[in-house]
Amino acid sequence: MTTEMTMPRRGSGGVRVRTAVAAALLLSRLRPGRLRRVLARVSRGARPAGYEETLRVYEAVVAGSRRCAGWYGCLPRSIAIALVCRMSGVWPDWCAGVRGAPPFSAHAWVRAGGRTVGEQEPDDLRPLMTVTVGGGDGGDSGEGPGESGGGPGRGQGREASGGDGDGPGEDGRARRAGAGQ
């Protein structure tokens, strides 16, 4: 099988996809907590994305960016997919976590309609951070891949650990032992 047979056609993305990929490459440099907050803000006011629509966006992003199509392009790819969907008024669940089977590694992906979009082995993915429709954040849920990542009381724009992911303090600043006592 040749590369042309397995890879989507290049250049089918258009201006929206190229813009989203450029923004995703910049956003992928942010710390996890800040990235989560930015994506939660962007997702506000959106409707839940459908699986078929998100799959079409996935294919356009992979076709439009070699960097996003590669093995190590999962973070910018997932961000770009979410951003392109948001340009259409919808939002998939954006997830960052780990692969549960060897090779163990960090990974980012999107879910729509309760299904993981564009992943070969979705059962091996374990979300650690999820941004859902309306800016809700599943935080550090520890739940399986088929679950929402956020229980009652979640979705208030904070991680389950009580911080923002940038540091141990609630405001992102490190606290000193004995300070303020």
Side-chain angles (χ1 to χ4, degrees), residues 23-121:
L25 291 171
L26 291 173
L27 290 172
S28 66
R29 294 175 174 248
L30 296 177
R31 290 180 172 178
R34 182 160 295 191
L35 174 60
R36 179 194 51 80
R37 286 192 310 271
V38 168
L39 292 179
R41 181 160 291 168
V42 169
S43 72
R44 290 181 187 159
R47 299 180 321 273
Y51 179 80
E52 295 299 324
E53 178 181 12
T54 308
L55 183 60
R56 282 191 299 273
V57 171
Y58 170 89
E59 291 169 351
V61 167
V62 169
S65 170
R66 287 187 179 145
R67 187 172 219 178
C68 290
W71 178 263
Y72 297 105
C74 63
L75 183 58
R77 176 177 58 237
S78 64
I79 295 169
I81 292 167
L83 293 176
V84 172
C85 285
R86 185 60 184 101
M87 289 178 200
S88 300
V90 297
W91 184 263
D93 293 341
W94 178 86
C95 305
V98 295
R99 294 180 188 275
F104 300 103
S105 61
H107 191 53
W109 65 97
V110 293
R111 288 189 304 221
R115 297 166 43 191
T116 304
V117 178
E119 299 296 327
Q120 293 177 352
E121 298 176 13

